[in-house]
Coordinates of all heavy atoms in Angstrom, one line a residue:
M148 N 0.8 -1.2 0.0 CA 0.0 0.0 0.0 C 0.9 1.2 0.0 O 1.8 1.4 0.8 CB -0.9 0.0 1.2 CG -2.0 1.0 1.2 SD -3.1 0.8 2.6 CE -4.3 -0.3 2.1
Q149 N 0.6 2.2 -0.8 CA 1.4 3.3 -0.9 C 1.0 4.4 0.0 O -0.1 4.4 0.5 CB 1.5 3.8 -2.4 CG 2.1 2.9 -3.3 CD 2.2 3.5 -4.7 OE1 1.7 4.7 -4.9 NE2 2.7 2.8 -5.7
D150 N 1.9 5.4 0.2 CA 1.6 6.5 1.1 C 0.3 7.3 0.7 O -0.5 7.6 1.5 CB 2.8 7.4 1.2 CG 3.9 6.7 2.0 OD1 3.7 5.7 2.7 OD2 5.0 7.3 1.8
T151 N 0.1 7.5 -0.6 CA -1.0 8.3 -1.0 C -2.3 7.6 -0.8 O -3.3 8.1 -0.4 CB -0.9 8.6 -2.5 OG1 -0.8 7.5 -3.3 CG2 0.2 9.5 -2.8
E152 N -2.3 6.2 -1.0 CA -3.5 5.4 -0.7 C -3.8 5.4 0.8 O -5.0 5.5 1.2 CB -3.3 4.0 -1.2 CG -3.3 3.8 -2.7 CD -3.0 2.4 -3.1 OE1 -3.0 1.5 -2.3 OE2 -2.8 2.1 -4.3
L153 N -2.8 5.3 1.6 CA -3.0 5.3 3.0 C -3.5 6.6 3.5 O -4.3 6.7 4.4 CB -1.6 4.9 3.8 CG -1.7 4.7 5.2 CD1 -2.5 3.5 5.6 CD2 -0.3 4.4 5.7
L154 N -3.0 7.7 3.0 CA -3.4 9.1 3.3 C -4.9 9.3 2.9 O -5.8 9.8 3.6 CB -2.6 10.1 2.6 CG -2.9 11.5 3.0 CD1 -2.7 11.8 4.5 CD2 -2.0 12.5 2.2
Q155 N -5.3 8.8 1.7 CA -6.6 8.8 1.2 C -7.6 8.1 2.1 O -8.7 8.5 2.4 CB -6.8 8.4 -0.2 CG -6.3 9.3 -1.2 CD -6.4 8.8 -2.6 OE1 -6.6 7.7 -2.9 NE2 -6.1 9.7 -3.7
E156 N -7.2 6.8 2.6 CA -8.0 6.1 3.4 C -8.2 6.7 4.8 O -9.3 6.7 5.4 CB -7.4 4.7 3.6 CG -7.8 3.7 2.5 CD -7.4 2.3 2.8 OE1 -7.5 1.9 4.0 OE2 -7.0 1.6 1.9
G157 N -7.1 7.3 5.3 CA -7.1 8.1 6.5 C -8.1 9.2 6.5 O -8.8 9.4 7.4
L158 N -8.0 10.0 5.4 CA -8.9 11.2 5.2 C -10.3 10.7 5.1 O -11.2 11.4 5.6 CB -8.4 12.0 4.0 CG -7.2 12.8 4.2 CD1 -6.7 13.5 2.9 CD2 -7.2 13.8 5.2
A159 N -10.5 9.6 4.3 CA -11.9 9.1 4.3 C -12.5 8.7 5.6 O -13.7 9.0 6.0 CB -12.0 8.0 3.2
L160 N -11.7 8.0 6.4 CA -12.1 7.6 7.7 C -12.4 8.7 8.6 O -13.4 8.8 9.3 CB -11.1 6.6 8.3 CG -11.4 5.9 9.6 CD1 -12.6 5.1 9.4 CD2 -10.3 5.1 10.0
M161 N -11.5 9.8 8.5 CA -11.7 11.0 9.3 C -13.0 11.6 8.9 O -13.8 12.1 9.8 CB -10.5 11.9 9.2 CG -10.6 13.2 10.0 SD -9.4 14.4 9.6 CE -9.8 15.0 8.0
G162 N -13.2 11.8 7.6 CA -14.5 12.5 7.2 C -15.7 11.7 7.7 O -16.6 12.3 8.0
L163 N -15.6 10.4 7.5 CA -16.8 9.5 7.9 C -17.0 9.7 9.4 O -18.1 9.9 9.9 CB -16.4 8.0 7.7 CG -17.5 7.0 7.9 CD1 -18.7 7.3 7.0 CD2 -17.1 5.6 7.8
G164 N -16.0 9.7 10.2 CA -16.1 9.8 11.8 C -16.6 11.2 12.1 O -17.5 11.3 12.9
M165 N -16.1 12.3 11.5 CA -16.6 13.6 11.8 C -18.0 13.8 11.3 O -18.8 14.5 11.9 CB -15.6 14.6 11.2 CG -14.3 14.7 11.8 SD -13.1 15.8 11.0 CE -13.9 17.4 11.3
G166 N -18.4 13.1 10.2 CA -19.7 13.3 9.8 C -20.7 12.6 10.6 O -21.8 13.1 10.9
F167 N -20.3 11.4 11.1 CA -21.1 10.7 12.1 C -21.3 11.5 13.4 O -22.5 11.7 13.9 CB -20.5 9.3 12.4 CG -21.3 8.6 13.4 CD1 -22.5 7.9 13.0 CD2 -20.9 8.5 14.7 CE1 -23.2 7.2 13.9 CE2 -21.7 7.8 15.6 CZ -22.8 7.1 15.3
V168 N -20.3 12.1 13.9 CA -20.4 12.9 15.1 C -21.3 14.1 14.8 O -22.1 14.4 15.7 CB -19.0 13.3 15.6 CG1 -19.1 14.4 16.7 CG2 -18.3 12.1 16.1
F169 N -21.1 14.8 13.7 CA -22.0 16.0 13.4 C -23.5 15.6 13.3 O -24.3 16.3 13.9 CB -21.5 16.6 12.0 CG -22.3 17.7 11.6 CD1 -22.2 19.0 12.2 CD2 -23.3 17.6 10.6 CE1 -23.0 20.0 11.8 CE2 -24.0 18.6 10.2 CZ -23.9 19.9 10.8
V170 N -23.7 14.5 12.6 CA -25.1 14.0 12.5 C -25.7 13.7 13.9 O -26.8 14.0 14.2 CB -25.3 12.8 11.5 CG1 -26.6 12.2 11.6 CG2 -24.9 13.3 10.1
F171 N -24.9 13.0 14.7 CA -25.3 12.5 16.0 C -25.7 13.7 16.9 O -26.7 13.8 17.6 CB -24.3 11.6 16.7 CG -24.7 11.3 18.1 CD1 -25.6 10.4 18.4 CD2 -24.0 11.9 19.2 CE1 -25.9 10.0 19.7 CE2 -24.3 11.7 20.5 CZ -25.3 10.7 20.7
L172 N -24.8 14.8 16.9 CA -25.0 15.9 17.7 C -26.2 16.7 17.2 O -26.9 17.3 18.0 CB -23.7 16.8 17.8 CG -22.6 16.2 18.6 CD1 -21.4 17.1 18.5 CD2 -22.9 15.9 20.0
T173 N -26.4 16.8 15.9 CA -27.5 17.5 15.4 C -28.9 16.8 15.8 O -29.8 17.5 16.2 CB -27.4 17.6 13.8 OG1 -26.2 18.2 13.5 CG2 -28.6 18.4 13.2
V174 N -28.9 15.5 15.7 CA -30.0 14.8 16.1 C -30.3 15.0 17.6 O -31.4 15.1 18.1 CB -29.9 13.3 15.7 CG1 -31.0 12.4 16.4 CG2 -30.0 13.1 14.2
L175 N -29.2 15.0 18.4 CA -29.4 15.1 19.8 C -30.0 16.4 20.2 O -30.9 16.6 21.0 CB -28.0 15.0 20.5 CG -27.9 15.0 22.0 CD1 -28.7 13.8 22.6 CD2 -26.5 15.1 22.5
V176 N -29.5 17.5 19.5 CA -30.0 18.8 19.8 C -31.5 18.9 19.4 O -32.3 19.5 20.1 CB -29.3 19.9 19.0 CG1 -30.0 21.3 19.0 CG2 -27.9 20.1 19.7
I177 N -31.9 18.3 18.2 CA -33.3 18.4 17.8 C -34.2 17.6 18.7 O -35.2 18.0 19.1 CB -33.3 17.8 16.4 CG1 -32.7 18.8 15.3 CG2 -34.8 17.6 15.9 CD1 -32.5 18.3 14.0
V178 N -33.7 16.4 19.1 CA -34.6 15.6 20.1 C -34.7 16.3 21.4 O -35.8 16.4 22.0 CB -34.0 14.2 20.3 CG1 -34.6 13.5 21.3 CG2 -34.0 13.4 18.9
T179 N -33.7 16.9 21.9 CA -33.7 17.6 23.2 C -34.7 18.8 23.1 O -35.5 19.0 24.1 CB -32.3 18.0 23.6 OG1 -31.4 16.9 23.7 CG2 -32.3 18.7 25.0
T180 N -34.6 19.5 22.1 CA -35.5 20.7 21.8 C -37.0 20.2 21.8 O -37.8 20.8 22.4 CB -35.1 21.5 20.6 OG1 -33.8 21.8 20.6 CG2 -36.0 22.7 20.4
L181 N -37.2 19.2 21.0 CA -38.6 18.6 21.0 C -39.1 18.1 22.2 O -40.3 18.3 22.7 CB -38.7 17.5 19.9 CG -38.5 18.0 18.4 CD1 -38.5 16.8 17.6 CD2 -39.7 18.9 18.1
M182 N -38.3 17.5 23.0 CA -38.6 17.0 24.4 C -39.0 18.1 25.3 O -39.9 18.1 26.1 CB -37.5 16.1 25.0 CG -37.5 14.7 24.4 SD -36.2 13.6 25.0 CE -35.7 14.3 26.6
S183 N -38.2 19.2 25.2 CA -38.4 20.4 26.1 C -39.7 21.1 25.8 O -40.5 21.3 26.6 CB -37.2 21.3 25.9 OG -37.5 22.5 26.6
K184 N -40.0 21.2 24.5 CA -41.3 21.7 24.1 C -42.5 20.9 24.5 O -43.5 21.4 24.9 CB -41.3 22.0 22.5 CG -40.4 23.1 22.2 CD -40.5 23.4 20.6 CE -39.5 24.6 20.3 NZ -39.5 24.8 18.9
T185 N -42.3 19.6 24.3 CA -43.4 18.7 24.6 C -43.7 18.7 26.1 O -44.9 18.8 26.6 CB -43.0 17.2 24.3 OG1 -42.7 17.1 22.9 CG2 -44.1 16.3 24.6
I186 N -42.6 18.7 27.0 CA -42.8 18.7 28.4 C -43.4 20.1 28.8 O -44.3 20.2 29.6 CB -41.4 18.6 29.2 CG1 -40.9 17.1 29.0 CG2 -41.6 18.9 30.6 CD1 -41.8 16.0 29.5
G187 N -43.0 21.2 28.2 CA -43.6 22.5 28.5 C -45.0 22.6 28.1 O -45.7 23.4 28.7
R188 N -45.4 21.9 27.1 CA -46.8 22.0 26.7 C -47.7 21.2 27.6 O -48.8 21.6 28.0 CB -47.0 21.4 25.3 CG -48.4 21.4 24.8 CD -48.5 21.0 23.3 NE -48.0 21.9 22.5 CZ -47.8 21.8 21.2 NH1 -48.2 20.8 20.6 NH2 -47.2 22.8 20.5
F189 N -47.3 20.0 28.0 CA -48.2 19.2 28.8 C -48.1 19.4 30.3 O -48.9 19.1 31.1 CB -47.9 17.6 28.5 CG -48.3 17.2 27.2 CD1 -47.4 16.8 26.2 CD2 -49.7 17.3 26.8 CE1 -47.8 16.4 24.9 CE2 -50.1 16.9 25.5 CZ -49.1 16.5 24.6
F190 N -46.9 19.9 30.7 CA -46.7 20.2 32.2 C -46.2 21.7 32.3 O -45.0 21.9 32.5 CB -45.7 19.2 32.8 CG -46.1 17.8 32.7 CD1 -45.5 17.0 31.7 CD2 -47.0 17.3 33.5 CE1 -45.9 15.6 31.5 CE2 -47.4 16.0 33.4 CZ -46.8 15.1 32.5
P191 N -47.1 22.6 32.1 CA -46.6 24.0 32.2 C -46.2 24.3 33.7 O -46.7 23.7 34.6 CB -47.8 24.8 31.8 CG -49.0 24.0 32.0 CD -48.5 22.6 31.9
E192 N -45.3 25.3 33.8 CA -45.0 25.8 35.1 C -46.1 26.5 35.8 O -46.7 27.3 35.2 CB -43.7 26.7 35.0 CG -42.5 26.0 34.6 CD -41.2 26.9 34.7 OE1 -41.3 27.8 35.4 OE2 -40.3 26.5 34.0
P193 N -46.3 26.2 37.1 CA -47.4 27.0 37.8 C -47.0 28.5 38.0 O -45.8 28.7 38.2 CB -47.5 26.2 39.2 CG -46.2 25.6 39.3 CD -45.6 25.3 37.9
G194 N -48.1 29.3 37.9 CA -47.9 30.7 38.2 C -47.6 30.9 39.6 O -47.6 30.1 40.5
P195 N -47.3 32.3 39.9 CA -46.9 32.6 41.3 C -48.2 32.4 42.2 O -49.3 32.9 41.8 CB -46.6 34.0 41.2 CG -47.0 34.6 39.9 CD -47.2 33.4 39.0
S196 N -48.0 31.8 43.3 CA -49.2 31.6 44.2 C -49.3 32.7 45.2 O -48.2 33.3 45.6 CB -49.0 30.3 44.9 OG -47.9 30.3 45.7
V197 N -50.5 33.0 45.6 CA -50.7 34.0 46.5 C -51.0 33.4 47.9 O -51.8 32.5 48.0 CB -52.0 34.8 46.2 CG1 -52.4 35.9 47.2 CG2 -51.9 35.4 44.7
P198 N -50.2 33.7 48.9 CA -50.4 33.1 50.2 C -51.8 33.4 50.8 O -52.2 34.5 50.7 CB -49.3 33.6 51.1 CG -48.8 34.8 50.4 CD -49.2 34.7 48.9
D199 N -52.4 32.3 51.4 CA -53.7 32.6 51.9 C -53.6 33.0 53.4 O -54.5 33.5 54.0 CB -54.5 31.2 52.0 CG -54.8 30.8 50.5 OD1 -54.8 31.7 49.6 OD2 -54.9 29.6 50.2
G200 N -52.5 32.8 54.1 CA -52.3 33.1 55.5 C -52.2 34.6 55.7 O -52.3 35.4 54.8
P201 N -52.0 35.0 56.9 CA -51.9 36.4 57.2 C -50.6 37.0 56.7 O -49.7 36.3 56.5 CB -51.9 36.5 58.7 CG -51.4 35.2 59.2 CD -51.9 34.2 58.2
R202 N -50.6 38.4 56.4 CA -49.5 39.1 55.9 C -48.4 39.3 57.0 O -48.9 39.4 58.1 CB -49.9 40.3 55.2 CG -50.7 40.2 54.0 CD -51.1 41.5 53.4 NE -51.8 41.3 52.2 CZ -52.0 42.2 51.3 NH1 -51.5 43.4 51.4 NH2 -52.6 42.0 50.1
P203 N -47.2 39.3 56.6 CA -46.2 39.7 57.6 C -46.5 41.1 58.2 O -47.0 42.0 57.4 CB -44.9 39.6 56.9 CG -45.2 39.7 55.4 CD -46.6 39.2 55.3
P204 N -46.1 41.3 59.5 CA -46.4 42.6 60.0 C -45.6 43.8 59.4 O -44.5 43.5 58.9 CB -46.0 42.5 61.5 CG -45.0 41.3 61.5 CD -45.5 40.4 60.3
A205 N -46.2 44.9 59.3 CA -45.5 46.1 58.7 C -44.4 46.5 59.7 O -44.5 46.3 60.9 CB -46.5 47.2 58.5
P206 N -43.4 47.2 59.1 CA -42.3 47.6 60.0 C -42.9 48.7 61.0 O -43.7 49.4 60.7 CB -41.3 48.3 59.1 CG -41.8 48.1 57.7 CD -43.1 47.4 57.7
R207 N -42.3 48.6 62.2 CA -42.8 49.5 63.3 C -41.8 50.6 63.4 O -40.8 50.6 62.9 CB -43.0 48.7 64.6 CG -43.9 47.6 64.5 CD -44.0 46.7 65.8 NE -42.6 46.2 66.0 CZ -42.4 45.2 66.6 NH1 -43.3 44.4 67.2 NH2 -41.1 44.7 66.8
Q208 N -42.2 51.6 64.2 CA -41.3 52.8 64.5 C -40.1 52.3 65.3 O -39.1 52.9 65.2 CB -42.1 53.8 65.3 CG -43.2 54.4 64.4 CD -42.8 55.3 63.4 OE1 -41.6 55.2 62.9 NE2 -43.6 56.2 62.8
E209 N -40.3 51.2 66.1 CA -39.3 50.7 66.9 C -38.1 50.2 66.2 O -37.0 50.2 66.5 CB -39.7 49.7 67.9 CG -40.8 50.2 68.9 CD -41.6 49.1 69.5 OE1 -41.3 47.8 69.3 OE2 -42.5 49.3 70.2
D210 N -38.5 49.8 64.9 CA -37.4 49.2 64.0 C -36.4 50.3 63.6 O -35.2 50.0 63.4 CB -38.0 48.7 62.8 CG -38.7 47.3 63.0 OD1 -38.5 46.8 64.2 OD2 -39.6 46.9 62.2
G211 N -36.8 51.5 63.6 CA -35.9 52.6 63.3 C -34.7 52.7 64.3 O -33.6 52.9 64.0
E212 N -35.1 52.6 65.7 CA -34.2 52.7 66.7 C -33.3 51.5 66.6 O -32.1 51.6 66.8 CB -34.9 52.7 68.0 CG -34.1 52.8 69.2 CD -34.8 52.8 70.5 OE1 -36.0 53.0 70.5 OE2 -34.2 52.7 71.5
L213 N -33.9 50.3 66.4 CA -33.0 49.1 66.2 C -32.0 49.2 65.1 O -30.8 48.8 65.3 CB -33.9 47.9 65.9 CG -33.2 46.5 65.8 CD1 -32.6 46.1 67.1 CD2 -34.3 45.5 65.4
M214 N -32.4 49.8 64.0 CA -31.4 50.0 62.9 C -30.2 51.0 63.4 O -29.1 50.7 63.0 CB -32.1 50.6 61.7 CG -33.1 49.7 61.0 SD -32.4 48.1 60.5 CE -31.4 48.6 59.2
V215 N -30.6 52.0 64.1 CA -29.5 52.9 64.6 C -28.5 52.2 65.5 O -27.3 52.3 65.4 CB -30.1 54.1 65.3 CG1 -29.1 55.0 66.0 CG2 -31.0 54.9 64.3
V216 N -29.0 51.3 66.3 CA -28.2 50.5 67.3 C -27.4 49.6 66.5 O -26.2 49.5 66.8 CB -29.1 49.8 68.3 CG1 -28.3 48.8 69.2 CG2 -29.8 50.8 69.2
I217 N -27.9 48.9 65.6 CA -27.2 47.9 64.7 C -26.1 48.6 64.0 O -24.9 48.2 63.8 CB -28.1 47.1 63.8 CG1 -28.9 46.2 64.6 CG2 -27.3 46.3 62.8 CD1 -30.0 45.5 63.8
G218 N -26.4 49.8 63.4 CA -25.4 50.6 62.7 C -24.3 51.0 63.5 O -23.2 50.9 63.1
A219 N -24.6 51.5 64.7 CA -23.5 51.9 65.7 C -22.7 50.7 66.0 O -21.4 50.8 66.1 CB -24.1 52.5 66.9
A220 N -23.2 49.5 66.2 CA -22.5 48.4 66.5 C -21.5 47.9 65.4 O -20.4 47.6 65.6 CB -23.3 47.2 66.9
L221 N -22.1 48.0 64.2 CA -21.2 47.7 63.0 C -20.0 48.7 62.9 O -18.9 48.3 62.6 CB -22.0 47.7 61.8 CG -22.9 46.4 61.5 CD1 -23.8 46.7 60.3 CD2 -22.0 45.3 61.2
H222 N -20.4 50.0 63.1 CA -19.2 51.1 63.0 C -18.2 50.7 64.0 O -17.0 50.8 63.7 CB -20.0 52.3 63.2 CG -19.0 53.5 63.2 ND1 -18.4 53.8 61.9 CD2 -18.5 54.3 64.1 CE1 -17.5 54.8 62.1 NE2 -17.6 55.2 63.4
R223 N -18.5 50.4 65.2 CA -17.6 50.2 66.3 C -16.8 48.9 66.0 O -15.6 48.9 66.2 CB -18.3 50.0 67.7 CG -17.4 49.8 68.8 CD -18.0 50.0 70.1 NE -17.1 49.9 71.1 CZ -17.3 49.9 72.4 NH1 -18.6 50.1 72.8 NH2 -16.4 49.8 73.3
H224 N -17.5 47.9 65.5 CA -16.8 46.6 65.2 C -15.7 46.8 64.0 O -14.6 46.3 64.1 CB -17.8 45.6 64.7 CG -17.2 44.3 64.2 ND1 -16.6 43.3 65.1 CD2 -17.0 43.8 62.9 CE1 -16.2 42.3 64.4 NE2 -16.4 42.6 63.0
R225 N -16.1 47.6 63.0 CA -15.2 47.9 61.9 C -14.0 48.7 62.4 O -12.9 48.5 61.9 CB -15.9 48.6 60.8 CG -16.9 47.6 60.0 CD -17.6 48.2 59.0 NE -18.6 47.3 58.3 CZ -19.6 47.7 57.8 NH1 -19.9 49.0 57.6 NH2 -20.4 46.8 57.1
Q226 N -14.3 49.6 63.3 CA -13.1 50.4 63.8 C -12.1 49.6 64.5 O -10.9 49.8 64.5 CB -13.6 51.6 64.7 CG -14.3 52.8 63.9 CD -14.7 53.9 64.9 OE1 -14.8 53.6 66.0 NE2 -14.8 55.0 64.4
R227 N -12.6 48.6 65.3 CA -11.7 47.8 66.1 C -10.8 46.9 65.3 O -9.7 46.7 65.6 CB -12.6 46.9 67.1 CG -13.0 47.5 68.3 CD -13.6 46.5 69.2 NE -14.1 47.1 70.4 CZ -14.8 46.4 71.4 NH1 -15.1 45.2 71.1 NH2 -15.2 47.1 72.4
H228 N -11.4 46.4 64.2 CA -10.7 45.4 63.4 C -9.9 46.0 62.2 O -9.3 45.3 61.4 CB -11.7 44.4 62.9 CG -12.2 43.5 64.0 ND1 -11.5 42.5 64.5 CD2 -13.5 43.5 64.6 CE1 -12.2 41.9 65.5 NE2 -13.5 42.5 65.5
R229 N -9.9 47.3 62.1 CA -9.1 47.9 61.0 C -7.6 48.0 61.5 O -6.7 48.2 60.7 CB -9.5 49.3 60.7 CG -10.8 49.3 59.9 CD -11.2 50.7 59.4 NE -12.4 50.7 58.6 CZ -13.0 51.8 58.3 NH1 -12.6 52.9 58.6 NH2 -14.1 51.7 57.5
R230 N -7.4 47.9 62.7 CA -6.0 48.1 63.2 C -5.2 46.9 63.1 O -5.1 45.9 62.8 CB -6.0 48.5 64.7 CG -6.7 49.8 64.9 CD -6.8 50.2 66.4 NE -7.7 51.3 66.4 CZ -8.3 51.7 67.6 NH1 -8.1 51.0 68.6 NH2 -9.0 52.7 67.6

């Protein structure tokens, strides 16, 4: 077998292998897309639900004082650990 024949067989085998992989990946993408659309059609995602229970309490005036205390504590903590 000569070098040119061997090279031609190698290129043919490479083309066949790459063609097979290309076809396989194309079919895989198409099938995955179709499955996704099928699942989305028969099993749609539920919309946002509205809770039936009581609403959380509204912020109170006391929370403002609490925020000031927390802010002061953070400021003091950061000053201590900068050194």
Side-chain angles (χ1 to χ4, degrees):
M148 193 178 268
Q149 291 187 5
D150 290 339
T151 56
E152 291 177 9
L153 191 59
L154 185 61
Q155 285 179 348
E156 280 190 33
L158 290 174
L160 188 59
M161 181 186 70
L163 184 65
M165 290 177 68
F167 179 76
V168 169
F169 178 76
V170 169
F171 175 76
L172 291 176
T173 303
V174 169
L175 183 67
V176 168
I177 292 170
V178 168
T179 304
T180 303
L181 289 174
M182 284 177 25
S183 176
K184 287 182 181 180
T185 303
I186 295 296
R188 178 176 293 174
F189 291 115
F190 301 103
E192 291 187 21
S196 62
V197 179
D199 293 335
R202 293 183 176 194
R207 300 176 300 211
Q208 294 291 21
E209 300 163 2
D210 289 344
E212 182 181 348
L213 179 64
M214 294 302 289
V215 170
V216 171
I217 290 173
L221 281 172
H222 181 71
R223 185 169 181 183
H224 175 75
R225 289 177 181 157
Q226 281 183 342
R227 279 188 182 173
H228 291 286
R229 281 187 183 171
R230 297 176 189 166

